[in-house]
């Protein structure tokens, strides 16, 4: 094992030396601290955060590089990541803003059930919606890109519910406030927690199941302990989603020289958001399911009639979101219609 590690360390040292030489040719190198809450081996780091950082380094001729801090290595909790970016603890964070309940009310429209058919369309819609209607929720943080995952389904270790009635009284992990409201509407008991807390909570019986997208399953090794997966009919919008932000401390962004700011801008926006949704989530879902299949897990897809029962039971969740926006001075019904129309627009382009 030691013989295999030493060459790798030498390669890393050589790469670091190369970066330093390149930086010295252009002045002091800018190192951006990039923080997130998942392991370094997660899909999010390997296939989204690291490739983005590689592009930034390449296009800046190594004048601007990332130092990635996975798994909350800068301290704090996942719910504090947005504030860490705003306050300059990190230069850039990848996070779920709605881990902080009640602060991103308008943006949370895309966490409503039965709305987003796939990650790419949802990511485009989220970016466009936030830019037009919700930038006030991100003061102090400069959005680089925003995205969604492929939608939430529910994973179980020992339970095997199939119908709405079977969900009554089951304790289910939820990722956000809207997801909790959906679970309450179907008679379950929501327990809100960040993704890294899920395996231990399942093992200790704190929850009976966990609402998690397929992308999150291998990241926390949920595929090794879950044995039953309850999902919607194939192709239908799932029972919830989460909004994700890859955002930069506003003052740090503003302080960059124009040419380096352009590098960030060239790797920001709606197309980068779509890239994150498509290549990191939509196109990899079969891969995320693979280990669960190999472990003999049972996959249950609702039929159309059962799906409609869930949709009917959760109509009030949309109304709660509209009321929450109205209380903050917004036009909830109009914003919901705008959000839905954006999803339709970007879904039609696929």
């Amino acid at each position: 094992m030691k013989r295999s590690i030493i060459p790798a360390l030498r390669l890393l040292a050589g790469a670091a030396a190369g970066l330093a030489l390149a930086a010295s040719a252009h002045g002091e190198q800018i190192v951006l601290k990039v923080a997130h809450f998942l392991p370094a081996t997660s899909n999010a780091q390997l296939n989204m955060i690291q490739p983005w950082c590689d592009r930034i380094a390449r296009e800046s001729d190594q004048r601007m590089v990332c130092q990635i801090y996975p798994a909350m290595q800068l301290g704090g909790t996942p719910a504090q990541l947005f504030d860490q970016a705003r306050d300059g603890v990190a230069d850039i964070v990848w996070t779920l803003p709605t881990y902080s309940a009640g602060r991103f009310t308008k943006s949370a429209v895309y966490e409503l059930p039965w709305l987003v058919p796939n990650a790419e369309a949802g990511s485009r819609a989220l970016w466009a919606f936030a830019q037009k209607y919700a930038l006030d929720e991100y003061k102090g943080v400069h959005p680089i890109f925003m995205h969604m995952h492929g939608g939430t389904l529910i994973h179980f270790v020992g339970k095997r519910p199939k119908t709405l009635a079977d969900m009554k009284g089951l304790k289910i992990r939820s990722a956000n406030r809207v997801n909790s409201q959906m679970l309450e509407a179907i008679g379950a008991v929501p327990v809100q927690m960040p993704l890294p807390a899920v395996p231990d909570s399942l093992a200790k019986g704190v929850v009976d199941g966990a609402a998690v997208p397929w992308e999150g399953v291998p990241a926390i090794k949920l595929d090794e302990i879950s044995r039953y997966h309850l999902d919607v009919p194939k192709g239908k919008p799932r029972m919830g989603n989460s909004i994700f932000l890859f955002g930069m401390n506003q003052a740090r962004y503003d302080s960059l020289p124009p040419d380096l700011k352009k590098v960030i801008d060239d790797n920001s926006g709606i197309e980068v958001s779509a890239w994150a949704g498509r290549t990191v989530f939509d196109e990899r879902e079969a891969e995320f399911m693979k280990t669960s299949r190999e472990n003999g897990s049972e996959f249950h897809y609702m039929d159309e009639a059962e799906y409609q029962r869930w949709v009917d039971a959760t109509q009030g969740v949309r109304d709660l979101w509209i009321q929450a926006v109205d209380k903050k001075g917004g036009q909830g019904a109009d914003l919901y219609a705008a959000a839905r129309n954006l999803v339709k627009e970007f879904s039609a382009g696929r």
Side-chain angles (χ1 to χ4, degrees):
M1 179 62 72
K2 291 182 179 179
R3 285 194 299 269
S4 65
I5 290 174
I6 291 172
L9 292 175
R10 288 173 177 164
L11 284 173
L12 288 173
L19 292 178
L21 286 172
S24 66
H26 296 280
E28 186 176 353
Q29 187 180 60
I30 293 174
V31 179
L32 300 174
K33 294 182 291 184
V34 180
H36 68 93
F37 59 93
L38 287 180
T41 55
S42 63
N43 171 60
Q45 177 161 328
L46 295 178
N47 296 301
M48 180 175 63
I49 298 171
Q50 188 64 60
W52 186 89
C53 286
D54 291 344
R55 290 201 300 270
I56 294 302
R58 183 173 61 252
E59 293 177 20
S60 69
D61 197 18
Q62 309 299 331
R63 291 172 57 210
M64 183 167 57
V65 299
C66 299
Q67 176 64 55
I68 301 175
Y69 294 87
M72 301 306 300
Q73 288 180 357
L74 293 180
T77 67
Q80 296 171 325
L81 277 167
F82 180 87
D83 290 341
Q84 288 184 354
R86 184 196 62 193
D87 299 339
V89 175
D91 296 310
I92 295 175
V93 299
W94 175 69
T95 187
L96 286 79
T98 52
Y99 274 167
S100 300
R103 294 175 59 183
F104 298 88
T105 305
K106 289 181 289 187
S107 302
V109 65
Y110 286 110
E111 296 183 337
L112 290 169
W114 331 119
L115 183 61
V116 176
N118 56 72
E120 180 179 357
S123 299
R124 288 182 182 275
L126 172 62
W127 177 267
F129 181 91
Q131 290 295 306
K132 187 170 183 179
Y133 302 109
L135 280 181
D136 60 306
E137 296 182 335
Y138 300 89
K139 288 180 180 177
V141 175
H142 176 79
I144 294 174
F145 62 87
M146 304 176 77
H147 69 88
M148 307 190 72
H149 54 60
T152 294
L153 64 154
I154 309 180
H155 312 268
F156 296 89
V157 176
K159 306 288 185 179
R160 280 171 166 72
K162 294 184 177 180
T163 67
L164 190 66
D166 294 340
M167 294 297 300
K168 187 174 179 60
L170 294 182
K171 294 175 293 183
I172 308 296
R173 175 266 179 177
S174 68
N176 54 59
R177 185 177 184 179
V178 173
N179 194 207
S180 293
Q181 291 169 343
M182 188 281 295
L183 290 168
E184 286 179 345
I186 63 171
V189 179
V191 182
Q192 192 167 325
M193 67 181 70
L195 187 62
V198 169
D200 190 54
S201 296
L202 280 169
K204 293 180 178 178
V206 175
V207 292
D208 299 304
V212 175
W214 274 116
E215 187 274 340
V217 169
I220 56 170
K221 299 185 178 180
L222 185 56
D223 47 355
E224 297 180 8
I225 60 175
S226 58
R227 289 296 177 267
Y228 181 80
H229 314 275
L230 178 61
D231 205 350
V232 302
K234 292 181 181 181
K236 289 284 189 179
R238 285 183 168 131
M239 57 190 73
N241 214 300
S242 294
I243 60 170
F244 293 81
L245 169 72
F246 193 75
M248 186 173 188
N249 174 271
Q250 186 67 56
R252 183 66 154 150
Y253 171 81
D254 291 340
S255 72
L256 293 174
D259 60 333
L260 294 186
K261 190 178 293 185
K262 184 178 185 300
V263 172
I264 298 291
D265 293 345
D266 288 348
N267 290 279
S268 301
I270 194 167
E271 292 303 326
V272 182
S273 299
W275 161 76
R278 179 180 64 254
T279 64
V280 183
F281 296 91
D282 286 340
E283 294 179 355
R284 300 175 65 87
E285 186 159 299
E287 178 184 334
F288 303 143
M289 298 169 67
K290 182 180 178 183
T291 306
S292 294
R293 290 193 184 280
E294 292 173 347
N295 286 341
S297 283
E298 181 181 347
F299 295 74
H300 180 76
Y301 296 90
M302 304 174 194
D303 62 29
E304 293 287 343
E306 183 62 27
Y307 180 75
Q308 191 58 49
R309 280 190 280 272
W310 287 57
V311 172
D312 292 342
T314 55
Q315 286 183 352
V317 178
R318 176 197 59 198
D319 297 334
L320 287 173
W321 178 84
I322 289 173
Q323 292 167 17
V325 173
D326 289 346
K327 285 180 181 178
K328 292 188 173 184
Q331 301 295 321
D334 291 343
L335 288 179
Y336 177 78
R340 194 173 184 86
N341 287 337
L342 284 168
V343 171
K344 289 180 179 177
E345 175 187 343
F346 293 120
S347 297
R350 282 174 62 90

